[in-house]
Each structure stands twice: as structure tokens, then as C-alpha cells.
Amino acid sequence: MSLPPGIMVPGGSGCARAAEQMRRRGLDMGDWGGAATQRVPMAEALGFAMARRAAGILDRHRDVLARAAPGAMPDPAEFAADDAIFTAVLDAANECLGRFDTRPAGDRWCDALLQLLQLAQSAREAG
């Protein structure tokens, strides 16, 4: 099965950064049976990578739409792929937030988006 254009496969920049952070912490990505203390940094790295990816999509769309000539439409296939990724990340963030916020998912999606953007900022600052 081939991926649509614009889809990053594991091992791309976000995954590579997460894997490098894990290696620096002495964690083995293949050790899924490890202690919970090893899974927490993995979840942190994954969350940072997802947040960076979502923020990158928002930045790219903003830049493309700001430069677009009147009547010119950006590549619909690229936007569709980005939308699928962004939706999946936002849904995951909303589900995660649901562990701490008992409101229905439809009522907390905006807060999930803000949390995702704040996490992306933290990820940029963390390097």
C-alpha cells in the first residue's frame, strides 16, 4: 500500500528526534515490556512529535493561504493528507484530555487544540 503524497513515514524528522531523545535517555524503543517509568518518556516524546507535526501543518497552511493569489487554490491532495493527519492528532489530544476533563468530546475540542499548540511550543523550546 502506498501513502498519499505529503504523508511522512515513521523515521521522518519527528520520529528521528523522538528516537534520538530516547537513546540519550538510555531507552530501547523495542523494550515495550519495560517498566512504566520507561513508557512515560516514550509517551512524552510521542506527544511532542505529534504536537510538532500538527503545528507544522497549521503553519504551512497559514503560509500557503497567505501567499495564494486570488482564485488560486493550493494543492488539494496535500491539504487532504494534512487534514487527515491533523484530525487524527487532534482527536488523540481530545481523547487524552478526556481523561482529565469529563465534558463531552465536542465541548472540549477547542481546549484540546490549545493544549496541543502549547505542547508544540514546549517541544520547540525543548529542542
Side-chain angles (χ1 to χ4, degrees):
M1 177 173 125
S2 64
L3 296 172
I7 301 287
M8 298 290 288
V9 296
S13 61
C15 288
R17 279 192 299 270
E20 180 57 31
Q21 287 174 352
M22 290 178 63
R23 277 191 291 280
R24 278 187 263 140
R25 292 179 180 163
L27 302 174
D28 179 9
M29 287 183 68
D31 183 17
W32 292 101
T37 56
Q38 290 182 337
R39 287 190 293 267
V40 169
M42 173 62 178
E44 177 186 295
L46 177 61
F48 279 166
M50 290 174 60
R52 277 192 297 264
R53 177 67 183 210
I57 288 170
L58 288 176
D59 288 344
R60 186 170 54 253
H61 283 219
R62 183 192 63 228
D63 293 345
V64 167
L65 292 173
R67 290 181 308 192
M73 184 63 186
D75 180 15
E78 182 181 342
F79 267 47
D82 281 350
D83 287 345
I85 294 167
F86 186 81
T87 299
V89 172
L90 183 56
D91 286 348
N94 197 355
E95 184 177 330
C96 181
L97 185 59
R99 294 177 152 236
F100 308 98
D101 184 341
T102 59
R103 293 178 295 161
D107 292 346
R108 67 176 182 257
W109 74 266
C110 188
D111 291 329
L113 176 60
L114 292 174
Q115 291 292 328
L116 189 61
L117 294 175
Q118 288 175 343
L119 183 59
Q121 181 63 36
S122 296
R124 286 182 185 136
E125 292 170 358

